[in-house]
Amino acid sequence: DLAASFGPGVKLQSITAEITDDPVTAGIEEKLGWLPKYYDKMLDSEAINNSRELANSLSMASFSKGE
């Protein structure tokens, strides 16, 4: 909810993701406090479907590895 955090009319225009050789870290839930509510659904709040949208292919598990 960007409007709640940054004000009305704020939109996310892009995200950059990068694969690195850095070691895996823990605590992503502390940095992305909203992430745990997507434990059982995709980031678009829907069940997984045949959508080609990136948000329907990502869930909380996409941001964690192992325990």
Side-chain angles (χ1 to χ4, degrees):
D1 186 359
L2 293 175
S5 297
F6 300 104
V10 173
K11 296 179 183 179
L12 180 63
Q13 293 184 334
S14 69
I15 294 176
T16 301
E18 181 178 348
I19 296 173
T20 72
D21 291 326
D22 293 346
V24 175
T25 60
I28 190 71
E29 296 87 1
E30 293 172 14
K31 295 177 182 172
L32 303 177
W34 50 267
L35 192 59
K37 73 180 185 179
Y38 292 93
Y39 176 77
D40 60 349
K41 58 187 168 189
M42 308 316 280
L43 292 189
D44 64 358
S45 296
E46 300 291 331
I48 194 165
N49 60 42
N50 292 329
S51 169
R52 293 172 94 51
E53 298 293 324
L54 177 62
N56 192 259
S57 65
L58 298 172
S59 69
M60 182 176 169
S62 302
F63 297 90
S64 63
K65 182 177 181 180
E67 292 186 20

